[in-house]
Amino acid sequence: MAKKTEERKDDHIDICLKEKVQARQVTTGFEEIHLLHKALPEINLDEVDLTGKIFGHKFEAPLIVEAITGGTRDGSKINAAIAKAVEDLGLGMGVGSQRSALEDPAVESTYAVTRKEAPNAFIMANIGAAQLAKGYGIKEATKAVEMLKADALAIHLNPLQEAIQPEGETTFANVMPVIETIVKKLNVPVIVKETGCGISASQARKLEALGIAGIDIAGAGGTSWAAVEYYRARRRRDEIRQRLGEDFWDWGIPTAASLVETTQVLHIPVIASGGLRSGIDLAKALALGASITGVAYPVLAPASLGAAETKKTLKLLLDELRTAMFLIGADSVQKLRRAPLIVTGKMADWLVMRGFEPQNYARRDL
Ligand SMILES: Cc1cc2nc3c(=O)[nH]c(=O)nc-3n(C[C@H](O)[C@H](O)[C@H](O)COP(=O)(O)O)c2cc1C
């Protein structure tokens, strides 16, 4: 069982590094969100402050590297590279699903390496909701957190991937009570995350009512798990699952829409992720109300090369974020979160259809 989980993880990394696994038709919607340029910003670029506090932890900038991997030798190297980079930059990271280490203690070190390389950074443990439906509970959640001395636990929701992959576990009924128990008994904050299909307002409300500390929307427009499973099916010559992967390739709530759906109704922090590819995307996500942002795919290739490359990629994102903030005259993340935004085209239509008022963003001022 554990061996199969490990092979699957290596397949995922290999496919994400070699094939085109990004959304094709659906976009994040950030291209329809416009920050209002200030010809005279009235602030100095080198005084733009990216720091902030979230989940009781101080961040040098509002960015985490999303859950990617663990459980294999390559996974260990990738985790170590990301950990070193986020430690140096004062950011945060999540490890990939720890199911393999919960099944096989021999691979614990491939996750624990993150705490070794990042003694101070914010690190999130990771387990899947599908496993919660099948009997995982507070015992496994506690073990996952202790393995990394994690600052938080992320519970991932991936019904699309489970529905497409041959070994998928599609039992998602009765997961909420298990999440609630974990929230009550675990001694670190619990975050619920999607994996590339977004979270709607009503689902976010239900999850907030369970007492979770934050939501990571991981919306559509970036990495597509249907695409990853399409390539796995193609390699196995499984025509049916290949077709499923192809048809659901662009399934999900676009990231910008999911951000409005969640930030407009929740009182807990929202992590914006899913297709964030530049510092300008980060700025737009924060202006839409996110408390912090996350990226996975952009870090994978650099992390497979090492910590220096990873750091370079993350620093570029932060330089772009700082530049965008300078150009709209926001010298702090708090000010950026109140910056005026113009929402156009399909994204404006989406928000109106769903009962949100896009013009409210445009009328804000710094
Ligand atoms: C290779 C790879 C492996 C991933 N594995 C996990 C995982 O084990 N657990 C999880 O919660 N999310 C996992 N994700 C999903 C990411 O954390 C993230 O939610 C998603 O990729 C969207 O972000 P992106 O568009 O920036 O890639 C993985 C993503 C990639 C690219």
Side-chain angles (χ1 to χ4, degrees), residues 9 12-13 16 22 66-69 95-97 126 156 193-196 218 222-223 225 273-277 294-298 300:
K9 277 169 173 283
H12 289 157
I13 298 287
C16 286
Q22 299 300 289
E66 294 265 304
I68 296 180
T69 194
V95 296
S97 168
N126 189 296
H156 71 258
K193 79 182 280 287
E194 236 290 344
T195 45
T223 305
W225 278 95
S273 72
L276 274 63
R277 297 294 177 260
V295 291
Y297 184 77
L300 177 60

Side-chain angles (χ1 to χ4, degrees), residues 15-45:
I15 288 170
C16 286
L17 285 172
K18 292 188 184 144
E19 313 282 2
K20 292 197 166 85
V21 294
Q22 299 300 289
R24 292 190 298 211
Q25 310 277 339
V26 70
T27 61
T28 57
F30 286 128
E31 70 285 359
E32 304 274 27
I33 310 282
H34 308 270
L35 289 157
L36 199 62
H37 174 68
K38 266 195 173 172
L40 182 57
E42 292 181 285
I43 58 168
N44 302 326
L45 176 58

Side-chain angles (χ1 to χ4, degrees), residues 179-236:
I179 296 180
E180 193 165 25
T181 307
I182 293 177
V183 166
K184 281 200 185 115
K185 297 194 176 160
L186 198 67
N187 57 6
V188 295
V190 174
I191 292 158
V192 173
K193 79 182 280 287
E194 236 290 344
T195 45
C197 296
I199 297 181
S200 71
S202 60
Q203 292 243 291
R205 270 203 203 98
K206 281 189 196 162
L207 289 164
E208 183 180 45
L210 303 177
I212 63 169
I215 273 195
D216 182 341
I217 58 162
T223 305
S224 160
W225 278 95
V228 177
E229 293 304 334
Y230 162 86
Y231 286 109
R232 278 187 73 219
R234 200 170 77 169
R235 287 179 179 185
R236 282 192 321 271

Side-chain angles (χ1 to χ4, degrees), residues 50 59 69 166 241 249 349:
L50 298 181
F59 284 79
T69 194
R241 290 184 185 278
W249 196 293
D349 293 345

Side-chain angles (χ1 to χ4, degrees), residues 32-34 288 341-345 347-349 351 358-359 361-362:
E32 304 274 27
I33 310 282
H34 308 270
L288 280 171
L341 285 172
I342 320 296
V343 186
T344 57
M347 200 44 55
D349 293 345
L351 299 186
Q359 71 271 19
Y361 291 105

